[in-house]
Amino acid sequence: ISAPAAPAPAKSATYEQEDVINAAERAFGKGASGVAGVIEKIFKENGRPTAYIEGREVGGAVVVGVRYGSGILHHKIEGDMPVYWTGPSFGADLGGDGSKTFALVYRLDDTADLFKRFPAIEGKVYAVGGFTANYLQRGRVIVVPVKLGVGWRLGANLGYLRFTRKSKLSPF
């Protein structure tokens, strides 16, 4: 008589730190020094994410700014899907930039909760390039974009980021 087969382990609803660091290094390139340290710090502060986004973003501002981004949302339970984001901003902000973006997403039990407006306060200083990271929160969901940007940008602004399922021209 053989013992009954053990049940398959339950699929974890969160990503392991090592898997996220490997994905971030793929997104930014192995040579992006410091990305592992940034991800480790975010993990230490927030734990394991339920999703992450790999993408690209462009933006610019002369007091009033706009940004446009696109990428792939990797959700631990619901799988991969395209995601887009836009957002206006206002503040002491000048310049333009483009960035590779890798965002950790926390407490996203249902991907529909991502497709909303997230208030944003952001500061950037790029003179050729650099890393930035900030936190966006709406309700329980937290999005932590880490960006490796190029361009010239200096300033701080207030605005929001709106995630959508389809690309759109209007930043509002």
Side-chain angles (χ1 to χ4, degrees):
I1 300 176
S2 64
K11 187 174 181 180
S12 173
T14 59
Y15 285 94
E16 297 287 336
Q17 181 173 320
E18 183 177 330
D19 295 333
V20 171
I21 289 173
N22 289 338
E25 287 178 341
R26 279 192 312 271
F28 292 127
K30 285 275 188 198
S33 78
V35 70
V38 171
I39 299 296
E40 287 169 0
K41 182 177 187 297
I42 295 167
F43 260 79
K44 186 176 180 181
E45 292 172 357
N46 298 287
R48 295 167 35 167
T50 52
Y52 64 88
I53 299 169
E54 291 180 78
R56 290 176 165 40
E57 178 177 295
V58 296
V62 178
V63 180
V64 175
V66 295
R67 75 175 88 188
Y68 296 92
S70 66
I72 300 295
L73 171 68
H74 302 275
H75 190 272
K76 189 68 174 182
I77 302 298
E78 294 184 37
D80 298 349
M81 63 189 71
V83 64
Y84 303 89
W85 59 94
T86 59
S89 63
F90 179 78
D93 196 3
L94 179 64
D97 63 308
S99 59
K100 290 184 177 182
T101 302
F102 188 86
L104 282 75
V105 185
Y106 291 89
R107 296 187 227 130
L108 186 64
D109 300 325
D110 181 351
T111 55
D113 292 337
L114 180 67
F115 300 106
K116 300 182 178 184
R117 290 181 179 160
F118 286 73
I121 300 172
E122 187 172 52
K124 289 185 180 181
V125 177
Y126 289 150
V128 180
F131 270 113
T132 64
N134 63 318
Y135 286 71
L136 310 170
Q137 183 170 359
R138 180 180 176 112
R140 293 188 60 227
V141 179
I142 298 171
V143 181
V144 186
V146 177
K147 300 174 189 177
L148 176 59
V150 296
W152 186 91
R153 187 88 180 252
L154 176 64
N157 61 58
L158 298 171
Y160 63 81
L161 218 53
R162 181 177 182 194
F163 292 93
T164 58
R165 296 179 193 275
K166 295 187 180 193
S167 179
K168 50 186 268 175
L169 290 175
S170 171
F172 301 101

